[in-house]
């Protein structure tokens, strides 16, 4: 079990903290902490505040991912998907949305706009090397095995 702290930011007492919509949901839905309605025109992007800051142990990261319903029905997705929340970030969590649909999309206060999924981060030690271990694949990539 990993403990994660959510701190509601001032003025957002009425906005829900990240919410799991079913018992075993992987994602915690994020709610828009916008004042007035925000309208994203087709092709427009917007940085939408989620109304809280968080702290999690260093072995975790949080990913901000689109909601499939908004993507399918309205073309709303996260431009930087998946967004990365670093364990040492203490600012407000924000969601970078883009409207890839054909119609303006209205975001109302409290609406669920994206979801946050937690992942463990492996401990990595970096070492520079002159040679790398050989493999069968070698430098082949970008479709070199065929379609
Ligand atoms: O969708 C996102 C992505 C990032 N962040 C916050 C948390 C994250 O820890 C920080 C930095 O994000 P990232 O490393 O993706 O952005 P950067 O452009 O590399 O900024 P920095 O130089 O601050 O790391 O911004 C969000 O609130 N939402
Ligand atoms: Mg960064």
């Amino acid at each position: 079990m990993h403990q994660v702290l959510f701190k509601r930011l001032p003025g957002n007492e009425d906005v829900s903290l990240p919410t799991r919509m079913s018992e075993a949901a992987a994602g915690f839905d994020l709610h828009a902490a916008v004042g007035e309605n925000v309208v994203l025109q087709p092709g427009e992007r917007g940085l939408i505040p989620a109304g809280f800051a968080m702290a999690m142990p260093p072995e975790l990261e949080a990913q901000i991912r689109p909601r499939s319903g908004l993507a399918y029905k309205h073309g709303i997705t996260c431009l930087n998907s998946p967004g990365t929340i670093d364990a040492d970030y203490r600012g407000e969590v924000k969601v970078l949305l883009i409207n890839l649909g054909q119609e303006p999309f209205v975001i109302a206060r409290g609406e669920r706009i994206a979801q946050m999924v937690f992942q463990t981060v492996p401990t990595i030690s970096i070492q520079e090397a002159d040679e790398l271990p050989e493999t069968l694949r070698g430098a082949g990539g970008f479709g070199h095995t065929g379609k």
Side-chain angles (χ1 to χ4, degrees), residues 64 80 83-86 89 92-96:
I64 299 189
N80 57 332
T84 306
I85 308 296
D86 301 288
Y89 177 69
E92 182 170 21
V93 171
K94 296 183 180 174
V95 180
L96 181 49

Side-chain angles (χ1 to χ4, degrees), residues 58-129:
E59 70 269 18
L60 292 188
E61 61 140 342
Q63 298 185 354
I64 299 189
R65 304 184 189 173
R67 291 185 63 209
S68 64
L70 294 183
Y72 178 56
K73 293 177 197 160
H74 303 285
I76 294 295
T77 190
C78 298
L79 180 57
N80 57 332
S81 188
T84 306
I85 308 296
D86 301 288
D88 54 359
Y89 177 69
R90 294 292 177 272
E92 182 170 21
V93 171
K94 296 183 180 174
V95 180
L96 181 49
L97 291 181
I98 184 164
N99 181 358
L100 300 180
Q102 311 289 320
E103 305 292 332
F105 182 73
V106 180
I107 302 164
R109 185 170 179 81
E111 207 163 85
R112 290 177 291 129
I113 49 171
Q115 60 187 317
M116 190 163 64
V117 176
F118 292 92
Q119 300 278 358
T120 52
V121 179
T123 306
I124 305 288
S125 99
I126 303 289
Q127 192 183 332
E128 190 169 341

